[in-house]
Amino acid sequence: MKILVTGAAGFIGYHLTKRLLERGDEVVGIDNINDYYDVRLKYARLNENGISRDAAEWYQQVQSSKFDKYRFVRMNLGDRDALNELFEEERFDKVCNLAAQAGVRYSLENPHTYIDSNIVGFLNVLEACRHNGIRHLAYASSSSVYGNNTKMPLSTHDNVDHPISLYAATKKSNELMAHTYSHLFGVPTTGLRFFTVYGPWGRPDMALFLFTDAIKNDKIVKVFNHGNMYRDFTYVDDIIEGVVRVIDAPPCLDIPGRSDSCTAPYKVYNIGNSSPVKLLDYIEAVEDALGKKAQKEFLPIQPGDVKHTEADVTELIENLAYKPSTTVQDGVRKFVQWYKNYQV
């Protein structure tokens, strides 16, 4: 099976690409390698999959030195013509769209970037899928679409009409756009609402990286909402297992026991541990892994943040026979081990 992975230099994209290659799929990865965070980390991820920094030039296909079935192209999803040409040449079977401008807080100051990347870029992907017979488009959504919903656990059947950040609004928009293309054009699409993904090769702007760096280097750990936050932290290997199962199971397949509605080949899943952890307990897990106590500064909640997330993964279990299970203690320990060995 030939699969396009967008955002292949990103955190989840790197792990997914490696997993697909290891099971024998042919993969083409694309990424624009923007400077939202240190590009050295992005190039290091690419290098792990056999793509050298020197070779990753714009619009040039690079063959992996580690995987015969992997090629990479530096490309922007906003470049509609180049994207269409790639689809026409490669004739992909399936697509996993992970490319997006990430970050809730960054969206408060850089709104246009989110529209360009997450709306215009996603439209270009949908159009390319529509016109090239793609058998399944899986794409990254986010638990942020739930906003300040207080009913727990958060279900894909809940109302998500009240996002509290532009980032969340773009992810909800992606789901609406995908549904439209599934309904009008029969493009099979599945959205993946990720819940606070963490693990090795994670983004340096995310909590675990920031906490680990601060504690290790005797810096202050900023604890927002005075620590009264709960997150459904989900280890990256669990996320990848869920993504792979989704890619392999387009919506509306005739699978006994599936609860999909087939008015359109469209589905959305939560992928989370369904075991929320208090922020202070998460910090304590980092302290235990490092063998060192944190110096904490307690602060008010930041604009765009939510206080509590907890995923209802009932449909993930029923339809795909899967539920994430890595404990925070194990996941944090694996991250800290990576952090000590692979800083870039």
PDB file of all heavy atoms in Angstrom, residues 30-64:
ATOM      1  N   ILE A  30       5.862  14.385   3.175  1.00  0.00           N
ATOM      2  CA  ILE A  30       6.099  15.783   2.824  1.00  0.00           C
ATOM      3  C   ILE A  30       6.036  16.633   4.085  1.00  0.00           C
ATOM      4  O   ILE A  30       5.363  16.288   5.057  1.00  0.00           O
ATOM      5  CB  ILE A  30       5.113  16.319   1.759  1.00  0.00           C
ATOM      6  CG1 ILE A  30       3.673  16.324   2.282  1.00  0.00           C
ATOM      7  CG2 ILE A  30       5.212  15.531   0.482  1.00  0.00           C
ATOM      8  CD1 ILE A  30       2.689  16.947   1.297  1.00  0.00           C
ATOM      9  N   ASP A  31       6.767  17.739   4.069  1.00  0.00           N
ATOM     10  CA  ASP A  31       6.800  18.669   5.198  1.00  0.00           C
ATOM     11  C   ASP A  31       7.443  19.950   4.701  1.00  0.00           C
ATOM     12  O   ASP A  31       8.349  19.909   3.860  1.00  0.00           O
ATOM     13  CB  ASP A  31       7.620  18.081   6.359  1.00  0.00           C
ATOM     14  CG  ASP A  31       7.304  18.741   7.698  1.00  0.00           C
ATOM     15  OD1 ASP A  31       7.605  19.941   7.848  1.00  0.00           O
ATOM     16  OD2 ASP A  31       6.775  18.061   8.589  1.00  0.00           O
ATOM     17  N   ASN A  32       6.999  21.095   5.228  1.00  0.00           N
ATOM     18  CA  ASN A  32       7.645  22.350   4.825  1.00  0.00           C
ATOM     19  C   ASN A  32       8.773  22.761   5.765  1.00  0.00           C
ATOM     20  O   ASN A  32       9.470  23.747   5.525  1.00  0.00           O
ATOM     21  CB  ASN A  32       6.622  23.485   4.696  1.00  0.00           C
ATOM     22  CG  ASN A  32       5.981  23.876   6.018  1.00  0.00           C
ATOM     23  OD1 ASN A  32       6.311  23.333   7.078  1.00  0.00           O
ATOM     24  ND2 ASN A  32       5.057  24.826   5.967  1.00  0.00           N
ATOM     25  N   ILE A  33       8.956  22.011   6.847  1.00  0.00           N
ATOM     26  CA  ILE A  33      10.042  22.236   7.818  1.00  0.00           C
ATOM     27  C   ILE A  33      10.065  23.711   8.252  1.00  0.00           C
ATOM     28  O   ILE A  33      11.099  24.389   8.195  1.00  0.00           O
ATOM     29  CB  ILE A  33      11.419  21.799   7.268  1.00  0.00           C
ATOM     30  CG1 ILE A  33      11.301  20.464   6.521  1.00  0.00           C
ATOM     31  CG2 ILE A  33      12.441  21.670   8.388  1.00  0.00           C
ATOM     32  CD1 ILE A  33      12.603  19.950   5.930  1.00  0.00           C
ATOM     33  N   ASN A  34       8.927  24.216   8.695  1.00  0.00           N
ATOM     34  CA  ASN A  34       8.890  25.616   9.114  1.00  0.00           C
ATOM     35  C   ASN A  34       9.590  25.803  10.455  1.00  0.00           C
ATOM     36  O   ASN A  34       9.958  24.841  11.121  1.00  0.00           O
ATOM     37  CB  ASN A  34       7.449  26.146   9.151  1.00  0.00           C
ATOM     38  CG  ASN A  34       6.610  25.484  10.233  1.00  0.00           C
ATOM     39  OD1 ASN A  34       7.093  25.144  11.301  1.00  0.00           O
ATOM     40  ND2 ASN A  34       5.326  25.313   9.959  1.00  0.00           N
ATOM     41  N   ASP A  35       9.767  27.050  10.845  1.00  0.00           N
ATOM     42  CA  ASP A  35      10.570  27.356  12.031  1.00  0.00           C
ATOM     43  C   ASP A  35       9.713  27.686  13.245  1.00  0.00           C
ATOM     44  O   ASP A  35      10.130  28.456  14.117  1.00  0.00           O
ATOM     45  CB  ASP A  35      11.553  28.487  11.740  1.00  0.00           C
ATOM     46  CG  ASP A  35      10.856  29.793  11.353  1.00  0.00           C
ATOM     47  OD1 ASP A  35       9.606  29.809  11.260  1.00  0.00           O
ATOM     48  OD2 ASP A  35      11.562  30.789  11.135  1.00  0.00           O
ATOM     49  N   TYR A  36       8.512  27.105  13.336  1.00  0.00           N
ATOM     50  CA  TYR A  36       7.676  27.300  14.532  1.00  0.00           C
ATOM     51  C   TYR A  36       8.439  26.894  15.794  1.00  0.00           C
ATOM     52  O   TYR A  36       8.307  27.515  16.834  1.00  0.00           O
ATOM     53  CB  TYR A  36       6.390  26.487  14.379  1.00  0.00           C
ATOM     54  CG  TYR A  36       5.572  26.374  15.645  1.00  0.00           C
ATOM     55  CD1 TYR A  36       5.060  27.508  16.279  1.00  0.00           C
ATOM     56  CD2 TYR A  36       5.313  25.136  16.216  1.00  0.00           C
ATOM     57  CE1 TYR A  36       4.314  27.404  17.438  1.00  0.00           C
ATOM     58  CE2 TYR A  36       4.569  25.021  17.373  1.00  0.00           C
ATOM     59  CZ  TYR A  36       4.074  26.160  17.984  1.00  0.00           C
ATOM     60  OH  TYR A  36       3.351  26.048  19.140  1.00  0.00           O
ATOM     61  N   TYR A  37       9.237  25.835  15.699  1.00  0.00           N
ATOM     62  CA  TYR A  37      10.206  25.506  16.743  1.00  0.00           C
ATOM     63  C   TYR A  37      11.493  25.071  16.071  1.00  0.00           C
ATOM     64  O   TYR A  37      11.567  25.004  14.848  1.00  0.00           O
ATOM     65  CB  TYR A  37       9.672  24.441  17.717  1.00  0.00           C
ATOM     66  CG  TYR A  37       9.261  23.124  17.086  1.00  0.00           C
ATOM     67  CD1 TYR A  37      10.197  22.118  16.826  1.00  0.00           C
ATOM     68  CD2 TYR A  37       7.930  22.866  16.763  1.00  0.00           C
ATOM     69  CE1 TYR A  37       9.816  20.917  16.264  1.00  0.00           C
ATOM     70  CE2 TYR A  37       7.541  21.657  16.215  1.00  0.00           C
ATOM     71  CZ  TYR A  37       8.493  20.686  15.970  1.00  0.00           C
ATOM     72  OH  TYR A  37       8.114  19.490  15.414  1.00  0.00           O
ATOM     73  N   ASP A  38      12.516  24.805  16.851  1.00  0.00           N
ATOM     74  CA  ASP A  38      13.871  24.538  16.371  1.00  0.00           C
ATOM     75  C   ASP A  38      13.882  23.502  15.240  1.00  0.00           C
ATOM     76  O   ASP A  38      13.540  22.329  15.451  1.00  0.00           O
ATOM     77  CB  ASP A  38      14.723  24.042  17.542  1.00  0.00           C
ATOM     78  CG  ASP A  38      16.211  24.033  17.230  1.00  0.00           C
ATOM     79  OD1 ASP A  38      16.580  24.096  16.035  1.00  0.00           O
ATOM     80  OD2 ASP A  38      17.010  23.952  18.185  1.00  0.00           O
ATOM     81  N   VAL A  39      14.280  23.953  14.043  1.00  0.00           N
ATOM     82  CA  VAL A  39      14.266  23.045  12.895  1.00  0.00           C
ATOM     83  C   VAL A  39      15.289  21.923  13.036  1.00  0.00           C
ATOM     84  O   VAL A  39      15.192  20.904  12.346  1.00  0.00           O
ATOM     85  CB  VAL A  39      14.510  23.810  11.574  1.00  0.00           C
ATOM     86  CG1 VAL A  39      13.398  24.792  11.305  1.00  0.00           C
ATOM     87  CG2 VAL A  39      15.872  24.492  11.565  1.00  0.00           C
ATOM     88  N   ARG A  40      16.258  22.086  13.932  1.00  0.00           N
ATOM     89  CA  ARG A  40      17.233  21.007  14.112  1.00  0.00           C
ATOM     90  C   ARG A  40      16.555  19.734  14.590  1.00  0.00           C
ATOM     91  O   ARG A  40      16.984  18.621  14.224  1.00  0.00           O
ATOM     92  CB  ARG A  40      18.316  21.437  15.106  1.00  0.00           C
ATOM     93  CG  ARG A  40      19.231  22.539  14.609  1.00  0.00           C
ATOM     94  CD  ARG A  40      20.235  22.940  15.673  1.00  0.00           C
ATOM     95  NE  ARG A  40      19.560  23.453  16.867  1.00  0.00           N
ATOM     96  CZ  ARG A  40      20.195  23.730  18.013  1.00  0.00           C
ATOM     97  NH1 ARG A  40      21.511  23.514  18.103  1.00  0.00           N
ATOM     98  NH2 ARG A  40      19.526  24.220  19.050  1.00  0.00           N
ATOM     99  N   LEU A  41      15.514  19.873  15.393  1.00  0.00           N
ATOM    100  CA  LEU A  41      14.779  18.695  15.849  1.00  0.00           C
ATOM    101  C   LEU A  41      14.035  18.047  14.680  1.00  0.00           C
ATOM    102  O   LEU A  41      14.004  16.812  14.568  1.00  0.00           O
ATOM    103  CB  LEU A  41      13.798  19.091  16.955  1.00  0.00           C
ATOM    104  CG  LEU A  41      12.927  17.976  17.535  1.00  0.00           C
ATOM    105  CD1 LEU A  41      13.770  16.820  18.052  1.00  0.00           C
ATOM    106  CD2 LEU A  41      12.033  18.527  18.643  1.00  0.00           C
ATOM    107  N   LYS A  42      13.476  18.846  13.807  1.00  0.00           N
ATOM    108  CA  LYS A  42      12.774  18.299  12.648  1.00  0.00           C
ATOM    109  C   LYS A  42      13.740  17.559  11.722  1.00  0.00           C
ATOM    110  O   LYS A  42      13.442  16.458  11.238  1.00  0.00           O
ATOM    111  CB  LYS A  42      12.057  19.422  11.887  1.00  0.00           C
ATOM    112  CG  LYS A  42      10.986  20.128  12.716  1.00  0.00           C
ATOM    113  CD  LYS A  42      10.253  21.177  11.910  1.00  0.00           C
ATOM    114  CE  LYS A  42       9.169  21.850  12.762  1.00  0.00           C
ATOM    115  NZ  LYS A  42       8.365  22.813  12.001  1.00  0.00           N
ATOM    116  N   TYR A  43      14.896  18.165  11.494  1.00  0.00           N
ATOM    117  CA  TYR A  43      15.880  17.493  10.644  1.00  0.00           C
ATOM    118  C   TYR A  43      16.431  16.226  11.311  1.00  0.00           C
ATOM    119  O   TYR A  43      16.738  15.249  10.620  1.00  0.00           O
ATOM    120  CB  TYR A  43      17.028  18.451  10.309  1.00  0.00           C
ATOM    121  CG  TYR A  43      16.692  19.441   9.222  1.00  0.00           C
ATOM    122  CD1 TYR A  43      16.645  20.813   9.482  1.00  0.00           C
ATOM    123  CD2 TYR A  43      16.430  19.016   7.922  1.00  0.00           C
ATOM    124  CE1 TYR A  43      16.345  21.724   8.477  1.00  0.00           C
ATOM    125  CE2 TYR A  43      16.125  19.921   6.916  1.00  0.00           C
ATOM    126  CZ  TYR A  43      16.082  21.268   7.198  1.00  0.00           C
ATOM    127  OH  TYR A  43      15.778  22.163   6.203  1.00  0.00           O
ATOM    128  N   ALA A  44      16.537  16.247  12.622  1.00  0.00           N
ATOM    129  CA  ALA A  44      16.995  15.044  13.332  1.00  0.00           C
ATOM    130  C   ALA A  44      15.986  13.909  13.187  1.00  0.00           C
ATOM    131  O   ALA A  44      16.370  12.741  13.021  1.00  0.00           O
ATOM    132  CB  ALA A  44      17.231  15.360  14.809  1.00  0.00           C
ATOM    133  N   ARG A  45      14.698  14.240  13.251  1.00  0.00           N
ATOM    134  CA  ARG A  45      13.676  13.207  13.025  1.00  0.00           C
ATOM    135  C   ARG A  45      13.791  12.649  11.614  1.00  0.00           C
ATOM    136  O   ARG A  45      13.730  11.430  11.400  1.00  0.00           O
ATOM    137  CB  ARG A  45      12.286  13.802  13.232  1.00  0.00           C
ATOM    138  CG  ARG A  45      11.951  14.255  14.648  1.00  0.00           C
ATOM    139  CD  ARG A  45      10.506  14.730  14.686  1.00  0.00           C
ATOM    140  NE  ARG A  45      10.122  15.378  15.937  1.00  0.00           N
ATOM    141  CZ  ARG A  45       9.601  16.591  16.029  1.00  0.00           C
ATOM    142  NH1 ARG A  45       9.410  17.305  14.925  1.00  0.00           N
ATOM    143  NH2 ARG A  45       9.267  17.087  17.208  1.00  0.00           N
ATOM    144  N   LEU A  46      13.916  13.543  10.623  1.00  0.00           N
ATOM    145  CA  LEU A  46      14.062  13.083   9.245  1.00  0.00           C
ATOM    146  C   LEU A  46      15.278  12.181   9.098  1.00  0.00           C
ATOM    147  O   LEU A  46      15.233  11.143   8.421  1.00  0.00           O
ATOM    148  CB  LEU A  46      14.185  14.281   8.304  1.00  0.00           C
ATOM    149  CG  LEU A  46      12.920  15.094   8.045  1.00  0.00           C
ATOM    150  CD1 LEU A  46      13.244  16.332   7.222  1.00  0.00           C
ATOM    151  CD2 LEU A  46      11.855  14.259   7.340  1.00  0.00           C
ATOM    152  N   ASN A  47      16.372  12.568   9.734  1.00  0.00           N
ATOM    153  CA  ASN A  47      17.592  11.786   9.646  1.00  0.00           C
ATOM    154  C   ASN A  47      17.405  10.378  10.217  1.00  0.00           C
ATOM    155  O   ASN A  47      17.979   9.408   9.711  1.00  0.00           O
ATOM    156  CB  ASN A  47      18.717  12.507  10.381  1.00  0.00           C
ATOM    157  CG  ASN A  47      20.067  11.848  10.155  1.00  0.00           C
ATOM    158  OD1 ASN A  47      20.567  11.798   9.041  1.00  0.00           O
ATOM    159  ND2 ASN A  47      20.660  11.325  11.218  1.00  0.00           N
ATOM    160  N   GLU A  48      16.606  10.267  11.274  1.00  0.00           N
ATOM    161  CA  GLU A  48      16.323   8.949  11.853  1.00  0.00           C
ATOM    162  C   GLU A  48      15.643   8.035  10.842  1.00  0.00           C
ATOM    163  O   GLU A  48      15.786   6.810  10.921  1.00  0.00           O
ATOM    164  CB  GLU A  48      15.438   9.106  13.093  1.00  0.00           C
ATOM    165  CG  GLU A  48      16.156   9.632  14.313  1.00  0.00           C
ATOM    166  CD  GLU A  48      17.139   8.635  14.891  1.00  0.00           C
ATOM    167  OE1 GLU A  48      16.726   7.507  15.213  1.00  0.00           O
ATOM    168  OE2 GLU A  48      18.331   8.985  15.007  1.00  0.00           O
ATOM    169  N   ASN A  49      14.918   8.624   9.911  1.00  0.00           N
ATOM    170  CA  ASN A  49      14.262   7.830   8.870  1.00  0.00           C
ATOM    171  C   ASN A  49      15.031   7.853   7.547  1.00  0.00           C
ATOM    172  O   ASN A  49      14.489   7.498   6.494  1.00  0.00           O
ATOM    173  CB  ASN A  49      12.825   8.322   8.654  1.00  0.00           C
ATOM    174  CG  ASN A  49      11.896   7.845   9.759  1.00  0.00           C
ATOM    175  OD1 ASN A  49      12.149   6.837  10.410  1.00  0.00           O
ATOM    176  ND2 ASN A  49      10.803   8.573   9.972  1.00  0.00           N
ATOM    177  N   GLY A  50      16.295   8.297   7.616  1.00  0.00           N
ATOM    178  CA  GLY A  50      17.172   8.174   6.454  1.00  0.00           C
ATOM    179  C   GLY A  50      17.155   9.333   5.486  1.00  0.00           C
ATOM    180  O   GLY A  50      17.612   9.195   4.343  1.00  0.00           O
ATOM    181  N   ILE A  51      16.661  10.495   5.907  1.00  0.00           N
ATOM    182  CA  ILE A  51      16.637  11.677   5.038  1.00  0.00           C
ATOM    183  C   ILE A  51      17.626  12.704   5.595  1.00  0.00           C
ATOM    184  O   ILE A  51      17.425  13.243   6.684  1.00  0.00           O
ATOM    185  CB  ILE A  51      15.236  12.303   4.968  1.00  0.00           C
ATOM    186  CG1 ILE A  51      14.195  11.271   4.523  1.00  0.00           C
ATOM    187  CG2 ILE A  51      15.242  13.513   4.041  1.00  0.00           C
ATOM    188  CD1 ILE A  51      14.413  10.707   3.144  1.00  0.00           C
ATOM    189  N   SER A  52      18.689  12.990   4.861  1.00  0.00           N
ATOM    190  CA  SER A  52      19.710  13.904   5.358  1.00  0.00           C
ATOM    191  C   SER A  52      19.274  15.353   5.188  1.00  0.00           C
ATOM    192  O   SER A  52      18.510  15.688   4.273  1.00  0.00           O
ATOM    193  CB  SER A  52      21.035  13.685   4.621  1.00  0.00           C
ATOM    194  OG  SER A  52      20.951  14.162   3.295  1.00  0.00           O
ATOM    195  N   ARG A  53      19.780  16.195   6.069  1.00  0.00           N
ATOM    196  CA  ARG A  53      19.431  17.619   6.021  1.00  0.00           C
ATOM    197  C   ARG A  53      19.856  18.239   4.704  1.00  0.00           C
ATOM    198  O   ARG A  53      19.120  19.028   4.106  1.00  0.00           O
ATOM    199  CB  ARG A  53      20.074  18.356   7.192  1.00  0.00           C
ATOM    200  CG  ARG A  53      19.809  19.845   7.194  1.00  0.00           C
ATOM    201  CD  ARG A  53      20.206  20.512   8.481  1.00  0.00           C
ATOM    202  NE  ARG A  53      19.814  21.918   8.509  1.00  0.00           N
ATOM    203  CZ  ARG A  53      19.674  22.640   9.618  1.00  0.00           C
ATOM    204  NH1 ARG A  53      19.915  22.088  10.796  1.00  0.00           N
ATOM    205  NH2 ARG A  53      19.308  23.909   9.561  1.00  0.00           N
ATOM    206  N   ASP A  54      21.027  17.920   4.226  1.00  0.00           N
ATOM    207  CA  ASP A  54      21.552  18.522   2.999  1.00  0.00           C
ATOM    208  C   ASP A  54      20.706  18.178   1.786  1.00  0.00           C
ATOM    209  O   ASP A  54      20.630  18.959   0.823  1.00  0.00           O
ATOM    210  CB  ASP A  54      22.991  18.066   2.767  1.00  0.00           C
ATOM    211  CG  ASP A  54      23.955  18.620   3.806  1.00  0.00           C
ATOM    212  OD1 ASP A  54      23.598  19.619   4.459  1.00  0.00           O
ATOM    213  OD2 ASP A  54      25.047  18.033   3.975  1.00  0.00           O
ATOM    214  N   ALA A  55      20.049  17.008   1.832  1.00  0.00           N
ATOM    215  CA  ALA A  55      19.289  16.551   0.667  1.00  0.00           C
ATOM    216  C   ALA A  55      17.854  17.082   0.647  1.00  0.00           C
ATOM    217  O   ALA A  55      17.194  17.028  -0.389  1.00  0.00           O
ATOM    218  CB  ALA A  55      19.259  15.026   0.623  1.00  0.00           C
ATOM    219  N   ALA A  56      17.371  17.594   1.775  1.00  0.00           N
ATOM    220  CA  ALA A  56      15.968  18.004   1.886  1.00  0.00           C
ATOM    221  C   ALA A  56      15.752  19.383   1.284  1.00  0.00           C
ATOM    222  O   ALA A  56      15.485  20.361   1.983  1.00  0.00           O
ATOM    223  CB  ALA A  56      15.524  17.962   3.344  1.00  0.00           C
ATOM    224  N   GLU A  57      15.871  19.471  -0.039  1.00  0.00           N
ATOM    225  CA  GLU A  57      15.665  20.732  -0.754  1.00  0.00           C
ATOM    226  C   GLU A  57      14.210  20.846  -1.215  1.00  0.00           C
ATOM    227  O   GLU A  57      13.520  19.847  -1.396  1.00  0.00           O
ATOM    228  CB  GLU A  57      16.603  20.798  -1.965  1.00  0.00           C
ATOM    229  CG  GLU A  57      18.087  20.774  -1.610  1.00  0.00           C
ATOM    230  CD  GLU A  57      18.548  22.043  -0.927  1.00  0.00           C
ATOM    231  OE1 GLU A  57      17.861  23.076  -1.076  1.00  0.00           O
ATOM    232  OE2 GLU A  57      19.594  22.011  -0.247  1.00  0.00           O
ATOM    233  N   TRP A  58      13.766  22.065  -1.437  1.00  0.00           N
ATOM    234  CA  TRP A  58      12.388  22.281  -1.857  1.00  0.00           C
ATOM    235  C   TRP A  58      12.077  21.537  -3.148  1.00  0.00           C
ATOM    236  O   TRP A  58      12.821  21.616  -4.133  1.00  0.00           O
ATOM    237  CB  TRP A  58      12.120  23.769  -2.073  1.00  0.00           C
ATOM    238  CG  TRP A  58      11.968  24.545  -0.792  1.00  0.00           C
ATOM    239  CD1 TRP A  58      12.916  25.283  -0.162  1.00  0.00           C
ATOM    240  CD2 TRP A  58      10.785  24.629   0.022  1.00  0.00           C
ATOM    241  NE1 TRP A  58      12.406  25.833   0.985  1.00  0.00           N
ATOM    242  CE2 TRP A  58      11.098  25.452   1.135  1.00  0.00           C
ATOM    243  CE3 TRP A  58       9.505  24.095  -0.079  1.00  0.00           C
ATOM    244  CZ2 TRP A  58      10.171  25.750   2.128  1.00  0.00           C
ATOM    245  CZ3 TRP A  58       8.573  24.391   0.905  1.00  0.00           C
ATOM    246  CH2 TRP A  58       8.904  25.204   1.994  1.00  0.00           C
ATOM    247  N   TYR A  59      10.981  20.782  -3.122  1.00  0.00           N
ATOM    248  CA  TYR A  59      10.385  20.114  -4.280  1.00  0.00           C
ATOM    249  C   TYR A  59      11.267  19.039  -4.915  1.00  0.00           C
ATOM    250  O   TYR A  59      10.978  18.584  -6.016  1.00  0.00           O
ATOM    251  CB  TYR A  59       9.960  21.142  -5.342  1.00  0.00           C
ATOM    252  CG  TYR A  59       9.019  22.179  -4.778  1.00  0.00           C
ATOM    253  CD1 TYR A  59       9.441  23.494  -4.571  1.00  0.00           C
ATOM    254  CD2 TYR A  59       7.719  21.847  -4.421  1.00  0.00           C
ATOM    255  CE1 TYR A  59       8.585  24.445  -4.037  1.00  0.00           C
ATOM    256  CE2 TYR A  59       6.859  22.798  -3.878  1.00  0.00           C
ATOM    257  CZ  TYR A  59       7.292  24.087  -3.688  1.00  0.00           C
ATOM    258  OH  TYR A  59       6.440  25.029  -3.147  1.00  0.00           O
ATOM    259  N   GLN A  60      12.297  18.619  -4.212  1.00  0.00           N
ATOM    260  CA  GLN A  60      13.167  17.558  -4.722  1.00  0.00           C
ATOM    261  C   GLN A  60      12.902  16.269  -3.951  1.00  0.00           C
ATOM    262  O   GLN A  60      13.031  16.237  -2.734  1.00  0.00           O
ATOM    263  CB  GLN A  60      14.644  17.960  -4.581  1.00  0.00           C
ATOM    264  CG  GLN A  60      15.040  19.226  -5.303  1.00  0.00           C
ATOM    265  CD  GLN A  60      14.851  19.115  -6.795  1.00  0.00           C
ATOM    266  OE1 GLN A  60      15.253  18.136  -7.426  1.00  0.00           O
ATOM    267  NE2 GLN A  60      14.234  20.150  -7.381  1.00  0.00           N
ATOM    268  N   GLN A  61      12.548  15.210  -4.650  1.00  0.00           N
ATOM    269  CA  GLN A  61      12.313  13.939  -3.975  1.00  0.00           C
ATOM    270  C   GLN A  61      13.637  13.356  -3.501  1.00  0.00           C
ATOM    271  O   GLN A  61      14.600  13.279  -4.255  1.00  0.00           O
ATOM    272  CB  GLN A  61      11.612  12.948  -4.896  1.00  0.00           C
ATOM    273  CG  GLN A  61      10.152  13.262  -5.117  1.00  0.00           C
ATOM    274  CD  GLN A  61       9.349  12.019  -5.480  1.00  0.00           C
ATOM    275  OE1 GLN A  61       9.827  10.905  -5.366  1.00  0.00           O
ATOM    276  NE2 GLN A  61       8.109  12.219  -5.909  1.00  0.00           N
ATOM    277  N   VAL A  62      13.660  12.958  -2.236  1.00  0.00           N
ATOM    278  CA  VAL A  62      14.864  12.399  -1.625  1.00  0.00           C
ATOM    279  C   VAL A  62      14.580  10.959  -1.223  1.00  0.00           C
ATOM    280  O   VAL A  62      13.589  10.678  -0.534  1.00  0.00           O
ATOM    281  CB  VAL A  62      15.281  13.211  -0.379  1.00  0.00           C
ATOM    282  CG1 VAL A  62      16.551  12.629   0.236  1.00  0.00           C
ATOM    283  CG2 VAL A  62      15.470  14.677  -0.737  1.00  0.00           C
ATOM    284  N   GLN A  63      15.452  10.066  -1.651  1.00  0.00           N
ATOM    285  CA  GLN A  63      15.330   8.660  -1.287  1.00  0.00           C
ATOM    286  C   GLN A  63      15.977   8.413   0.074  1.00  0.00           C
ATOM    287  O   GLN A  63      17.100   8.849   0.337  1.00  0.00           O
ATOM    288  CB  GLN A  63      16.009   7.776  -2.342  1.00  0.00           C
ATOM    289  CG  GLN A  63      16.104   6.302  -1.982  1.00  0.00           C
ATOM    290  CD  GLN A  63      14.742   5.651  -1.831  1.00  0.00           C
ATOM    291  OE1 GLN A  63      13.880   5.809  -2.691  1.00  0.00           O
ATOM    292  NE2 GLN A  63      14.539   4.932  -0.733  1.00  0.00           N
ATOM    293  N   SER A  64      15.274   7.718   0.953  1.00  0.00           N
ATOM    294  CA  SER A  64      15.816   7.392   2.268  1.00  0.00           C
ATOM    295  C   SER A  64      17.011   6.453   2.148  1.00  0.00           C
ATOM    296  O   SER A  64      17.013   5.532   1.328  1.00  0.00           O
ATOM    297  CB  SER A  64      14.741   6.731   3.129  1.00  0.00           C
ATOM    298  OG  SER A  64      15.292   6.170   4.305  1.00  0.00           O
TER     299      SER A  64
END
